[in-house]
């Protein structure tokens, strides 16, 4: 199965060591048995509670962080077993846009040079580099005369655009973007979204986009994955997921979109206020302490990710009875 | 820049060229650095957009969170620690006691942002300036934090200057909204009016480019050109360069902010 997909992951597990008062070491489970795939030309969205492991997943898929269990495949080959030249190829063809634009830019490098770097690595001639730089900077809305400045002279939103420009300069085959537009104002957000949509059409760019802005995911994604405390709780075609979700957490997320009152139940009824913690994961369905539908079985038995309609999976014991 | 200048934190070479910033009757621009420091730490508090640049990477959360409590509220270290855990819990950080020992890089992006918010509320400020306080947070936590801030606004007379590009949040939380372009307020109105009957061409264009109204997968309407501060301050209307309804009269002189209806101000001579 996995060899037909551009990028796929099977049973990813990731834990982090955390500080502890006494000398005993504790581990935090950031990802638990996460499997997913990205097909060529597809845009996959990832949403979910803060701290549920989205950035961790994005970094592992980009080959920038190693998992503790499970595998990542690039065109059917284990990422860790790619031959040297394929590995370099993967590095070049897979670009990542980071959530925190400041920490991902070299503060001592002029932004023009930062953006040009991938072009240089790809062996583009110097005059052509300059032309490309100008084109890309204009495309993401950065004034051309700012190329000689350093990152700390830019606003948060501008830095984010520098990161986007840098990723796009590499003409990637796969773009993994962690909150690419959340720090941008609306008009620039719209411009960037249009660029991504266009690149999808022109170059069959495949994208994995992490965002908590569900309206943006609905607009640009083919499929959307909803995560909760390190696992996937629902995954389905974007059009379907927003119209007819199949997990109570997704329902709560959709209801909480500011200015988007499409569901009958009021927001307050949808989520109980027990805070989830990756340091102490509840038994059974890990969403049960906050779920208003929880029944006995939810407290003991882990619900499996089950396919309810073509390509639409959800991990909830009551999915069928709740959502038909 | 506005929020930074209220805090008088505008980094050089930026400076405040004119105007006054009045807080509880005092012009902040006239205060001494020392008096300002006191106001800044205690009465006016600020949440920045990029938590990583304002959190100290080599200090544990506990130390960063407790410092202002010990410094401004004269708390003992033990009380400050206890208070710190409560503050973290209030902003939705699970296992707050354990998290106190973490360094910033061990937290997710959203958690760092929540730590910033907890720090900003620590000393019971009377004005909170929040610059994109919830952009890195998912919608449920976002709602929870805004709820918390709302409760503070109601219970302890906190006022909030919320700077955001998320009009959904504006719609739900703000009583009055000002839209800025190139350093100027171009429209200011009660939020309901602003969102349903915007008058300035910039506000109108902003609302038009939101994804909620577009057909999935189709390009979103965007504004021509990009913000160019030099062109915007060249005289004439600051938005003229990109305005779809610009005529020759627009470039003659800077536009004034005029009241076209009670509490509804617009900086465009074509709106009446
Ligand atoms: N380097 C690290 N050391 C220890 N813990 C970490 C590290 N990086 C992440 N974590 C923890 O792993 C969990 C998942 O973090 P991650 O950054 O993937 O979350 P996220 O879903 O991207 O959240 P957000 O929406 O807030 O960005 C969190 O509990 C976080 O504290
Ligand atoms: S399995 Fe039970 S607790 Fe979990 S989401 Fe479904 S109904 Fe709620
Ligand atoms: Mg993240």
């Amino acid at each position: 199965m996995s060899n037909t997909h551009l990028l796929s992951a099977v049973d990813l597990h990731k834990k982090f060591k955390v500080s502890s008062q006494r000398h005993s070491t504790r581990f935090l489970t950031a990802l638990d048995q996460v499997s997913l795939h990205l097909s060529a030309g597809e845009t996959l969205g990832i949403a979910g509670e803060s701290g549920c492991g989205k950035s961790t997943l994005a970094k592992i898929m980009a080959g920038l962080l190693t998992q503790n269990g499970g595998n990542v495949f690039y065109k059917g080959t284990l990422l860790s077993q790619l031959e040297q030249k394929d590995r370099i190829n993967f590095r070049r063809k897979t670009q990542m846009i980071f959530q925190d634009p400041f920490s991902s830019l070299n503060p001592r490098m002029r932004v023009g040079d930062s953006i040009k770097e991938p072009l240089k690595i790809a062996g583009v001639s110097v005059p052509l580099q300059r032309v490309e730089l100008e084109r890309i900077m204009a495309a993401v809305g950065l004034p051309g005369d700012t190329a000689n400045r350093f990152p700390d002279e830019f606003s948060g939103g501008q830095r984010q655009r520098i990161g986007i420009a840098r990723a796009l300069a590499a003409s990637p085959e796969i773009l993994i973007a962690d909150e690419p537009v959340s720090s941008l104002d609306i008009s620039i957000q719209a411009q960037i979204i249009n660029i991504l949509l266009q690149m999808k059409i022109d170059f069959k760019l495949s994208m994995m986009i992490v965002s908590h802005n569900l309206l943006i995911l609905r607009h640009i994604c083919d499929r959307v994955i909803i995560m909760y405390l390190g696992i996937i709780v629902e995954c389905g075609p974007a059009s379907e997921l927003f119209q007819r979700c199949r997990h109570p957490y997704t329902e709560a997320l959709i209801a909480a979109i500011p200015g988007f009152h499409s569901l009958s139940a009021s927001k307050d009824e949808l989520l109980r206020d027990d805070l989830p913690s990756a340091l102490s994961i509840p038994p059974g369905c890990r969403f049960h302490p906050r779920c208003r539908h929880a029944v006995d079985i939810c407290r003991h038995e882990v619900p499996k990710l089950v396919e309810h309609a073509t390509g639409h999976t959800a991990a909830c014991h009551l999915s069928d009875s709740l959502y038909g | 820049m506005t929020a930074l200048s209220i805090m008088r934190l505008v980094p050089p070479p930026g400076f405040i060229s004119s105007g006054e910033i009045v807080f509880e009757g005092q012009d902040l621009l006239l205060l001494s650095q020392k008096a300002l420091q006191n106001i800044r730490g205690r009465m006016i508090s600020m949440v920045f957009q990029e938590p990583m640049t304002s959190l100290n990477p080599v200090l544990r959360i506990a130390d960063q969170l407790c410092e202002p409590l010990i410094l401004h509220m004269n708390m003992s270290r033990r009380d400050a620690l206890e208070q710190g855990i409560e503050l973290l819990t209030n902003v939705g950080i699970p296992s707050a006691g354990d998290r106190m020992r973490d360094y910033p890089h061990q937290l997710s992006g959203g958690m760092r942002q929540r730590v910033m918010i907890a720090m900003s509320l620590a000393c019971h400020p009377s004005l909170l300036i929040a610059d994109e306080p919830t952009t890195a947070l998912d919608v449920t936590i976002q709602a929870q934090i805004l709820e918390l801030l709302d409760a503070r606004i109601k219970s302890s007379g906190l006022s909030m200057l919320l700077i955001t590009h998320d009009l959904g949040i504006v719609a739900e939380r703000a009583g009055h909204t000002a839209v800025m372009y190139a350093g100027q307020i171009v429209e200011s109105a009660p939020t309901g009016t602003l969102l349903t009957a915007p008058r300035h061409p910039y506000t109108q264009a902003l609302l038009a480019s939101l994804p909620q109204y577009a057909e999935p997968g189709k390009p979103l309407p965007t504004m021509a050109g990009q913000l160019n501060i030099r062109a915007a301050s060249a005289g004439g209307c600051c938005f003229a360069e990109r305005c779809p309804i610009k005529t020759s009269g627009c470039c003659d002189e800077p536009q004034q902010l005029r009241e076209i209806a009670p509490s509804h101000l617009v900086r465009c001579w074509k709106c009446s």
Side-chain angles (χ1 to χ4, degrees):
Chain A
M1 172 210 91
S2 55
N3 52 4
T4 55
H5 299 303
L6 186 55
L7 194 62
S8 59
V10 179
D11 285 344
L12 288 182
H13 191 89
K14 177 72 190 173
K15 53 188 180 183
F16 289 109
K17 211 188 259 181
V18 289
S19 353
S20 174
Q21 211 159 29
R22 278 155 240 103
H23 295 292
S24 65
T25 321
R26 290 180 68 194
F27 286 97
L28 167 159
T29 307
L31 291 179
D32 195 5
Q33 287 209 304
V34 171
S35 301
L36 59 112
H37 63 85
L38 179 69
S39 311
E42 183 184 44
T43 306
L44 175 65
I46 307 214
E49 189 116 347
S50 169
C52 71
K54 305 179 296 290
S55 299
T56 305
L57 177 63
K59 286 180 205 153
I60 292 176
M61 297 301 281
L64 300 173
L65 189 71
T66 25
Q67 64 274 23
N68 301 105
N71 292 309
V72 180
F73 297 89
Y74 173 60
K75 296 184 177 163
T77 310
L78 262 178
L79 207 55
S80 54
Q81 285 174 6
L82 285 180
E83 285 175 31
Q84 179 71 4
K85 87 173 188 325
D86 293 334
R87 197 170 175 77
I88 294 171
N89 194 34
F90 172 78
R91 275 277 152 77
R92 198 156 76 209
K93 291 272 174 75
T94 306
Q95 288 294 319
M96 171 135 187
I97 297 171
F98 293 91
Q99 180 170 16
D100 201 328
F102 199 66
S103 56
S104 60
L105 286 170
N106 182 344
R108 279 178 295 275
M109 202 157 163
R110 295 180 196 278
V111 305
D113 294 332
S114 270
I115 300 172
K116 272 193 301 199
E117 203 178 29
L119 297 170
K120 215 184 319 177
I121 295 170
V124 175
S125 73
V126 174
L128 204 60
Q129 281 181 25
R130 214 169 304 136
V131 176
E132 267 295 278
L133 175 68
E134 233 164 80
R135 186 187 66 81
I136 293 167
M137 287 186 71
V140 299
L142 286 169
D145 57 4
T146 56
N148 284 327
R149 300 215 204 132
F150 291 95
D152 65 354
E153 296 169 50
F154 291 83
S155 72
Q158 284 173 322
R159 276 178 213 144
Q160 187 62 295
R161 282 182 272 164
I162 297 168
I164 294 170
R166 197 181 136 88
L168 297 183
S171 336
E173 175 184 30
I174 303 174
L175 181 68
I176 298 180
D178 194 358
E179 302 284 2
V181 295
S182 60
S183 58
L184 304 180
D185 75 71
I186 301 159
S187 65
I188 290 163
Q189 188 171 295
Q191 281 171 22
I192 301 286
I193 289 173
N194 290 350
I195 293 173
L196 295 178
L197 288 170
Q198 197 60 41
M199 291 195 53
K200 190 173 160 180
I201 298 168
D202 293 349
F203 308 109
K204 282 204 89 197
L205 177 67
S206 310
M207 292 185 274
M208 197 170 127
I209 297 187
V210 175
S211 175
H212 60 267
N213 189 328
L214 294 171
L215 292 171
I216 290 178
L217 292 185
R218 183 183 67 162
H219 192 74
I220 55 180
C221 293
D222 303 306
R223 282 190 306 132
V224 173
I225 285 176
I226 306 289
M227 291 181 65
Y228 187 82
L229 270 187
I231 60 166
I232 294 177
V233 294
E234 183 164 2
C235 171
S239 51
E240 207 177 290
L241 193 120
F242 287 100
Q243 243 164 41
R244 188 163 169 221
C245 63
R246 292 183 163 273
H247 194 283
Y249 178 60
T250 314
E251 187 184 346
L253 274 186
I254 293 175
I257 300 175
F260 192 85
H261 307 280
S262 62
L263 293 160
S264 46
S266 102
K267 293 175 192 186
D268 312 336
E269 293 165 25
L270 283 168
L271 269 191
R272 301 234 183 94
D273 232 348
D274 272 0
L275 289 167
S277 166
L279 289 166
S280 61
I281 290 174
C285 169
R286 46 186 82 186
F287 182 58
H288 87 254
R290 298 176 77 192
C291 182
R292 64 188 175 125
H293 302 294
V295 291
D296 226 21
I297 184 175
C298 306
R299 286 179 264 278
H300 311 299
E301 209 166 295
V302 179
K304 291 202 178 62
L305 202 55
V306 179
E307 185 158 24
H308 293 272
T310 319
H312 192 163
T313 53
C316 167
H317 291 301
L318 305 183
S319 188
D320 278 331
S321 62
L322 289 172
Y323 307 102
Chain B
M1 195 69 130
T2 312
L4 286 176
S5 54
I6 292 179
M7 297 288 278
R8 268 228 245 150
L9 281 173
V10 181
F15 62 95
I16 304 160
S17 49
S18 63
E20 53 187 331
I21 301 166
V22 181
F23 175 68
E24 294 188 347
Q26 294 174 302
D27 184 347
L28 296 189
L29 295 183
L30 299 178
L31 288 179
S32 70
Q33 275 298 336
K34 194 150 172 258
L36 188 67
Q37 181 123 38
N38 191 30
I39 288 194
R40 198 153 64 193
R42 212 165 40 81
M43 285 146 82
I44 306 182
S45 189
M46 179 146 184
V47 185
F48 293 95
Q49 185 172 5
E50 272 180 55
M52 258 336 230
T53 54
S54 11
L55 287 174
N56 187 334
V58 299
L59 285 184
R60 292 178 194 270
I61 300 301
D63 299 322
Q64 317 204 27
L65 188 56
C66 295
E67 188 212 81
L69 293 171
I70 296 168
L71 206 70
H72 293 295
M73 309 287 278
N74 297 322
M75 279 191 193
S76 70
R77 179 149 179 96
R78 172 187 285 189
D79 288 351
L81 273 174
E82 215 162 86
Q83 179 73 23
I85 293 177
E86 195 184 320
L87 284 164
L88 288 187
T89 309
N90 279 342
V91 293
I93 300 227
S95 315
D98 288 328
R99 290 301 193 181
M100 291 286 268
R101 284 188 294 276
D102 280 349
Y103 291 96
H105 77 271
Q106 291 175 304
L107 304 181
S108 76
M111 284 183 209
R112 293 200 280 259
Q113 192 63 352
R114 279 180 273 168
V115 168
M116 282 292 301
I117 292 169
M119 283 168 64
S120 71
L121 292 175
C123 298
H124 300 280
S126 40
L127 173 63
L128 177 69
I129 302 173
D131 186 356
E132 304 283 5
T134 58
T135 31
L137 304 178
D138 72 90
V139 279
T140 62
I141 302 281
Q142 198 172 66
Q144 190 187 334
I145 287 190
L146 293 168
E147 217 49 76
L148 174 89
L149 292 173
D150 255 7
R152 280 291 188 93
I153 288 173
K154 294 203 180 88
S155 70
S156 61
L158 170 73
S159 306
M160 177 163 63
L161 176 61
L162 175 71
I163 300 170
T164 179
H165 58 257
D166 190 331
L167 289 179
I169 293 179
V170 166
E172 293 201 344
R173 306 287 161 172
H176 193 97
T177 301
V179 175
M180 292 187 67
Y181 185 81
Q184 295 189 331
I185 291 179
V186 293
E187 182 160 9
S188 161
T191 303
T193 313
L194 190 102
L195 294 179
T196 52
R199 299 299 307 277
H200 195 281
Y202 176 66
T203 317
Q204 291 174 345
L206 265 190
L207 290 170
S209 56
L210 289 174
Q212 32 267 68
Y213 309 115
E215 191 186 328
K218 293 281 170 296
L220 300 169
T222 53
M223 264 173 255
Q226 48 184 272
L227 172 61
N228 179 336
I229 294 281
R230 225 168 297 147
S233 40
C237 167
C238 62
F239 187 58
E241 220 198 359
R242 307 174 70 187
C243 183
I245 59 165
K246 175 184 88 169
T247 52
S248 54
C250 299
C251 301
D252 291 348
E253 55 192 68
Q255 294 296 312
Q256 301 302 319
L257 205 53
R258 288 174 307 114
E259 188 158 28
I260 57 162
S263 319
H264 192 166
L265 306 169
V266 182
R267 197 185 291 276
C268 169
W269 64 300
K270 297 197 176 198
C271 305
S272 53

